Amino acid sequence: MKQSLLCLAIAAVLPIQVDAQTFERCTKTERGQFIAAADRSQRLALTATTAIGPNPAYTRWFGRYNAKSGEIVRRNLKSVVKALRSDKVSAVCHNVGEDLCDGETYAFVDKNEPYRVHVCPSFFQMDTMKDLTAESVADGNGTRAGTLVHEISHFDVTADTVDICYSRGDCSEMAITDPLDTLINADSYQYFVEDVTYFGVAGEAEAQ
């Protein structure tokens, strides 16, 4: 993992420890894993705010850089950080088959109920950033921390994002064909924050 960009970001802005205000139906282990993921997601978002500009990582997920789109991305990421720094983040743990937890869903929210995050069993089976390899970050479905950035961005008081595309292939293609849509797409933010933390602004390994 490249450390230079991450160290720069941490030196510039010191993250605040994230604590979930309330938990519903979560085990002690799940609570600890959620808090760790929330803390890490704040760090990912902070790192990403320093990587907004005309570089391969930004272009891959948001299209050709310009000052207006860059400011939108920066503002949205800062809103995610602000939410995670608050004491209002809460988690509701579900079993498979309950609500939207169909076995493939990691987490979901009602964008009108900040900052209540519903997490499914598959969320706790996702990689942490420490678990990632170059292959898994490029080909997988993301991390717990990245997923929380995705979900927190959905709230109407943060970035009010939607789900236009889900996979890395579809979302990187959308950055070419419909870059304006990426600015309101939750997965675009997730993949961006994960990539700039793991790979740096150069993007995925094959793009270097």
Side-chain angles (χ1 to χ4, degrees):
M1 182 185 297
K2 294 191 173 180
Q3 299 293 332
S4 56
L5 179 63
L6 179 59
C7 292
L8 256 165
I10 293 174
V13 279
L14 295 176
I16 297 173
Q17 179 67 41
V18 174
D19 292 304
Q21 185 183 39
T22 60
F23 289 99
E24 296 178 34
R25 304 174 57 203
C26 301
T27 68
K28 182 177 180 180
T29 297
E30 289 170 341
R31 293 178 186 184
Q33 290 176 342
F34 184 90
I35 290 173
D39 181 64
R40 186 58 169 163
S41 65
Q42 182 195 156
R43 293 171 183 268
L44 263 62
L46 283 172
T47 298
T49 61
T50 71
I52 295 170
N55 59 68
Y58 184 93
T59 301
R60 179 174 179 81
W61 300 116
F62 298 106
R64 185 183 298 272
Y65 173 81
N66 62 68
K68 185 175 181 179
S69 67
E71 184 52 37
I72 292 171
V73 173
R74 182 178 291 106
R75 182 179 68 238
N76 287 341
L77 287 173
K78 286 183 176 179
S79 293
V80 170
V81 173
K82 182 179 179 181
L84 288 163
R85 283 181 166 179
S86 75
D87 63 352
K88 299 178 181 179
V89 177
S90 62
V92 184
C93 296
H94 296 269
N95 295 319
V96 174
E98 294 178 345
D99 295 309
L100 300 180
C101 291
D102 57 5
E104 297 181 357
T105 299
Y106 302 111
F108 60 95
V109 299
D110 179 337
K111 64 168 52 190
N112 299 309
E113 295 183 353
Y115 298 103
R116 198 165 185 250
V117 181
H118 299 263
V119 290
C120 303
S122 56
F123 173 84
F124 299 105
Q125 297 169 10
M126 299 182 80
D127 284 341
T128 67
M129 287 297 293
K130 291 181 179 179
D131 295 328
L132 288 179
T133 64
E135 292 74 21
S136 64
V137 73
D139 301 328
N141 294 315
T143 64
R144 295 175 196 167
T147 296
L148 289 184
V149 170
H150 174 122
E151 298 302 337
I152 295 293
S153 76
H154 276 319
F155 294 116
D156 54 10
V157 295
T158 51
D160 199 22
T161 60
V162 294
D163 294 316
I164 302 174
C165 65
Y166 276 113
S167 71
R168 293 179 69 91
D170 287 346
C171 291
S172 60
E173 179 65 22
M174 189 170 73
I176 299 171
T177 59
D178 298 291
L180 288 178
D181 282 348
T182 67
L183 302 177
I184 58 170
N185 183 63
D187 253 8
S188 300
Y189 289 90
Q190 174 175 346
Y191 296 141
F192 179 61
V193 301
E194 289 173 340
D195 278 13
V196 297
T197 299
Y198 190 87
F199 293 114
V201 296
E204 290 187 12
E206 64 268 24
Q208 296 179 1

